C-alpha cells in the first residue's frame, strides 16, 4: 500500500489537506482532475497535477486486456431484489461496478425496491446479499425506517443491526446531493463496508431547480458530474449504484412506451441497466428491462407486500 506521504511533493501538511478533502487513497487521487483536487484540497494546481501523476504511476493505470476485464468482472457482486422472477430478468440481482436505474410513475414501486435492497445488501452471500452496508441518499423524504424493519423481519434479521448499517443522507438540493455522493469516499475510507449506494430519486431536485430550456445545459453538466462521481465509487470500491427516476408523459407516442424517463442522454448513457416499473392489476407490478449491455429485453411480474418485494 502506498501512503500519501510516500508521494513526491507531498509533505505532512499536504497529506493532511488531501485526507480532509476525502482523497486518502491512490485510486481516488489517480482518477481526480487537477482542478477538482486544487479546489477541494485547497492546494496549488501545479502541486495537484504532480500528486495526481504520482498516484497514477503508483496505481499502474494502463491499458488492460480483455482478459483483465473478465477477471475484474469476476469480482462483480449481485444483490437480490427479493423476487426470483425479477432477479432472473436482470441477471441475478443488481450488479456492483454498475449503475442500475429504475423509472416509472408515482406509486410504481421504485422506493419500495430501494428499501428492499437496503436490507438484502446485508444478507450473506448464499442468501443473495453482499454482507455490506448501504448509503441511502433520500431526496424526497420518503425513506421509512419502519418499512426497513418490516422487510428485516421477513429475513429474520435484527432491527437495530440492519438500521445501523444503512447510512441516510437527506439531500436538500441538487448541490447538497452531489456533495453527499462525493462524501461517500470518506465513509468508505474510514472503514465502512459500503456495497450499495441508493439515490432516491436522482432527478427530483435537478428537475425542480433547473426549469426552462435555457438552464438545461447547466443541469445536464451538473448531472453528468454527479453520475461520474457515482460511477467512480462503483468502480473504485466494487459498489452497486441504484437510482430511481421519474417519468414524463409522452402523449405523442402511438407506439412503444407512452412515458419516458427524464434525464436525457446524459443519464441514458450513464445507466448500465434501465428498468421500467409499471402498475398492474390487483396490486401487481411489472418490471421491464429496457436497456442492458448483455441481457435480452424482457418483463416480469412481482408484488409489493408487507414483507417487501416478492414473486
Ligand atoms: P414516487 O416516489 O411517488 O414516484 O413513487 P414510487 O415508485 O417510489 O412508489 P413507492 O415505491 O413508494 O410505492 C408505493 C406503493 O407501494 C404504495 O402505493 C403501495 O401500493 C405499495 N406499498 C408500500 N408499502 C407497502 C406495504 O407495506 N404493503 C403493501 N402491500 N404495499 C405497500
Ligand atoms: Mg418514491
Amino acid at each position: 500500500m502506498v501512503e500519501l506521504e510516500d508521494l513526491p511533493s507531498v509533505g505532512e501538511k499536504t497529506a493532511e489537506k488531501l485526507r480532509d478533502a476525502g482523497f486518502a487513497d491512490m485510486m481516488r487521487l489517480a482518477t481526480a482532475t487537477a482542478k477538482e483536487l486544487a479546489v477541494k484540497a485547497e492546494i496549488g494546481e501545479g502541486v495537484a497535477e504532480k500528486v495526481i501523476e504520482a498516484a497514477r504511476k503508483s496505481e499502474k493505470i494502463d491499458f488492460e486486456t480483455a482478459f483483465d476485464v473478465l477477471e475484474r468482472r469476476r469480482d462483480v457482486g449481485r444483490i437480490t431484489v427479493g423476487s426470483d422472477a425479477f432477479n432472473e430478468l436482470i441477471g441475478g440481482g443488481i450488479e456492483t461496478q454498475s449503475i442500475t436505474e429504475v423509472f416509472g410513475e408515482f406509486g410504481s414501486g421504485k422506493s419500495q425496491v430501494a428499501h428492499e435492497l437496503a436490507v438484502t445488501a446485508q444478507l450473506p452471500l448464499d442468501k443473495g446479499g453482499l454482507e455490506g452496508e448501504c448509503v441511502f441518499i433520500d431526496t424526497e423524504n420518503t425513506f421509512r425506517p419502519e418499512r426497513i424493519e418490516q422487510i428485516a423481519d421477513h429475513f429474520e434479521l435484527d432491527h437495530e443491526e440492519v438500521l445501523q448499517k444503512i447510512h441516510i443522507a437527506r439531500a436538500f438540493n441538487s448541490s447538497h446531493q452531489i456533495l453527499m455522493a462525493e462524501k461517500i469516499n470518506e465513509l468508505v475510507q474510514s472503514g465502512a463496508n459500503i456495497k450499495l449506494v441508493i439515490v432516491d430519486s436522482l432527478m427530483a431536485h435537478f428537475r425542480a431547480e433547473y426549469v426552462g430550456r435555457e438552464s438545461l445545459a447547466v443541469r445536464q453538466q451538473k448531472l453528468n458530474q454527479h453520475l461520474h462521481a457515482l460511477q467512480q465509487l462503483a468502480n473504485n470500491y466494487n459498489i452497486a449504484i441504484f437510482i430511481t427516476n421519474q417519468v414524463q408523459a409522452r402523449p405523442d407516442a402511438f407506439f412503444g412506451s407512452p412515458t419516458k424517463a427524464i434525464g436525457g442522454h446524459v443519464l441514458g448513457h450513464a445507466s448500465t441497466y434501465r428498468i421500467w416499473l409499471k402498475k398492474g392489476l390487483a396490486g401487481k407490478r411489472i418490471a421491464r428491462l429496457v436497456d442492458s449491455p448483455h441481457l435480452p429485453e424482457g418483463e416480469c411480474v412481482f408484488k409489493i407486500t408487507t414483507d417487501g418485494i416478492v414473486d
Side-chain angles (χ1 to χ4, degrees):
M1 268 287 278
V2 183
E3 294 292 331
L4 289 176
E5 284 85 353
D6 301 336
L7 298 176
S9 73
V10 175
E12 231 171 82
K13 260 219 169 95
T14 311
E16 198 181 310
K17 280 184 182 174
L18 290 171
R19 281 206 183 89
D20 287 348
F23 295 90
D25 65 44
M26 291 304 130
M27 192 45 124
R28 177 80 181 106
L29 272 178
T31 53
T33 64
K35 219 181 211 104
E36 179 193 6
L37 195 58
V39 172
K40 288 186 184 156
E42 293 169 1
I43 57 177
E45 218 172 296
V47 178
E49 261 169 35
K50 275 191 199 140
V51 173
I52 290 171
E53 190 171 326
R56 286 183 180 171
K57 273 195 188 127
S58 81
E59 271 294 320
K60 295 211 182 1
I61 294 180
D62 213 338
F63 287 102
E64 52 182 3
T65 63
F67 182 75
D68 294 333
V69 176
L70 184 66
E71 286 282 288
R72 194 153 40 76
R73 294 269 315 154
R74 282 191 221 287
D75 293 339
V76 167
R78 291 189 174 76
I79 304 171
T80 172
V81 282
S83 140
D84 291 337
F86 199 159
N87 282 334
E88 201 173 308
L89 178 74
I90 57 175
I94 72 153
E95 271 188 13
T96 63
Q97 300 177 23
S98 290
I99 297 179
T100 301
E101 171 195 352
V102 293
F103 65 95
E105 57 178 344
F106 67 94
S108 57
K110 304 177 295 289
S111 298
Q112 290 303 314
V113 176
H115 281 73
E116 176 86 15
L117 287 166
V119 176
T120 57
Q122 304 185 25
L123 290 170
L125 291 168
D126 61 353
K127 295 259 164 59
L130 292 175
E131 287 167 26
E133 304 187 22
C134 154
V135 172
F136 198 120
I137 299 181
D138 181 14
T139 70
E140 298 181 309
N141 200 15
T142 52
F143 175 79
R144 292 290 174 274
E146 298 82 3
R147 193 69 184 111
I148 295 293
E149 291 185 331
Q150 290 176 335
I151 299 168
D153 282 340
H154 177 62
F155 292 102
E156 293 174 351
L157 297 171
D158 181 71
H159 287 180
E160 189 179 334
E161 253 177 62
V162 170
L163 293 167
Q164 292 284 11
K165 288 185 183 152
I166 304 173
H167 306 265
I168 309 294
R170 274 279 283 128
F172 299 108
N173 55 50
S174 66
S175 306
H176 192 204
Q177 179 180 337
I178 291 171
L179 185 69
M180 294 310 290
E182 290 175 357
K183 285 266 172 198
I184 297 171
N185 282 290
E186 290 168 44
L187 196 59
V188 174
Q189 285 158 10
S190 73
N193 179 31
I194 307 295
K195 283 288 141 218
L196 171 68
V197 171
I198 292 166
V199 186
D200 183 22
S201 87
L202 180 81
M203 293 298 300
H205 287 314
F206 287 95
R207 192 183 208 180
E209 288 164 31
Y210 297 94
V211 196
R213 265 182 195 282
E214 62 285 357
S215 61
L216 194 63
V218 183
R219 185 191 88 174
Q220 291 305 84
Q221 187 215 328
K222 292 273 179 200
L223 180 62
N224 196 28
Q225 178 197 341
H226 186 39
L227 289 164
H228 187 69
L230 291 169
Q231 185 64 60
Q232 263 189 0
L233 274 173
N235 295 345
N236 292 355
Y237 307 115
N238 201 20
I239 289 175
I241 311 287
F242 181 79
I243 60 186
T244 71
N245 190 13
Q246 300 158 314
V247 289
Q248 79 192 46
R250 248 190 0 193
D252 56 321
F254 285 106
F255 301 103
S257 49
T259 50
K260 70 172 196 175
I262 60 171
H265 292 302
V266 167
L267 179 54
H269 291 151
S271 317
T272 319
Y273 298 92
R274 301 194 103 178
I275 302 159
W276 182 21
L277 296 187
K278 286 177 280 184
K279 287 188 238 182
L281 296 172
K284 285 183 195 151
R285 297 290 191 285
I286 298 143
R288 179 170 183 82
L289 185 66
V290 292
D291 194 4
S292 139
H294 63 272
L295 295 171
E297 289 204 352
E299 279 189 359
C300 77
V301 178
F302 68 93
K303 226 172 163 176
I304 304 169
T305 68
T306 312
D307 286 342
I309 309 295
V310 298
D311 273 322

